[in-house]
Amino acid sequence: MTITGLPLPVPPPERGRDREGVIGHRSQDDPHPNPSLFKGRERTCAPGVAAAISLILFATSTLAAGNVAAGRQKALACQTCHGLDGLSKLPEAPNLAGQPEPFLINSLNDFRKGVRKNDMMSLVVQQLSDQDVADLAAFYAAIEVSLKAPK
Ligand code: HEC
């Protein structure tokens, strides 16, 4: 692409695309090494918007990016007590199947923070990352349960 001959600061139409997408693009006749610092005002907005959007995406992804398939794999470490299907194998351990995802996340994080303590769980959660917690919660929450109340 060449922009030679077009009067600045009015950008040619193609440059509009550059602003949204390519970072660090510069034309051959650009005397400045970093266009985002030296070009006119029309460039300053896009990086800010892009940064804001990626910040939002980052924030939401760290909060709720639970992956059911990954959680299924990680849940193998929990099956001795909570069962492969989320139904408890131990009288002391609760069923995890179908529990609300936010509740599972909060419970696991409470154990991790030491707010909630249990001889077994406090030990188990030491191995878990934020991503593990999100994946495990997504997996157990996705298990469908059917219930039958006693007569
Ligand atoms: C050695 C047995 C054992 C293992 C392994 C184990 N847990 Fe637990 N878990 C327990 C027990 C016992 C409790 C009940 C704790 C209490 O009474 O506060 C519990 C409680 C929980 C709770 C709280 C649920 C609620 O309804 O309050 C969650 C969530 C949980 N476990 C998730 C996991 C996950 C995820 C794993 C695997 C990474 C795991 N546990 C592995 C024994 C175990």
Side-chain angles (χ1 to χ4, degrees):
M1 177 185 82
T2 173
I3 59 162
T4 322
L6 283 164
L8 292 173
V10 179
E14 313 94 282
R15 293 174 62 84
R17 267 187 262 128
D18 290 348
R19 266 184 272 144
E20 283 166 25
V22 185
I23 295 170
H25 166 81
R26 89 193 156 97
S27 58
Q28 284 178 330
D29 52 351
D30 187 339
H32 301 299
N34 187 342
S36 63
L37 291 177
F38 294 100
K39 281 288 178 187
R41 282 221 175 79
E42 84 274 11
R43 278 201 174 269
T44 56
C45 194
V49 172
I53 290 172
S54 44
L55 197 70
I56 291 166
L57 289 176
F58 176 74
T60 48
S61 70
T62 50
L63 285 178
N67 181 294
V68 173
R72 185 191 325 251
Q73 285 305 308
K74 294 171 183 180
L76 295 176
C78 325
Q79 62 172 312
T80 324
C81 306
H82 293 288
L84 201 54
D85 51 4
L87 291 185
S88 168
K89 300 263 190 207
L90 277 192
E92 307 94 314
N95 297 333
L96 299 182
Q99 290 218 43
E101 193 170 345
F103 170 79
L104 290 169
I105 293 174
N106 284 344
S107 301
L108 288 169
N109 285 334
D110 283 350
F111 284 123
R112 291 169 86 201
K113 284 182 277 186
V115 175
R116 185 171 167 184
K117 291 194 174 85
N118 172 265
D119 285 349
M120 298 177 231
M121 279 308 296
S122 301
L123 213 67
V124 166
V125 294
Q126 287 176 14
Q127 324 290 329
L128 302 182
S129 66
D130 287 346
Q131 187 64 53
D132 294 337
V133 167
D135 293 345
L136 286 160
F139 169 66
Y140 284 115
I143 298 175
E144 283 183 36
V145 283
S146 61
L147 302 173
K148 197 175 170 195
K151 295 227 168 90

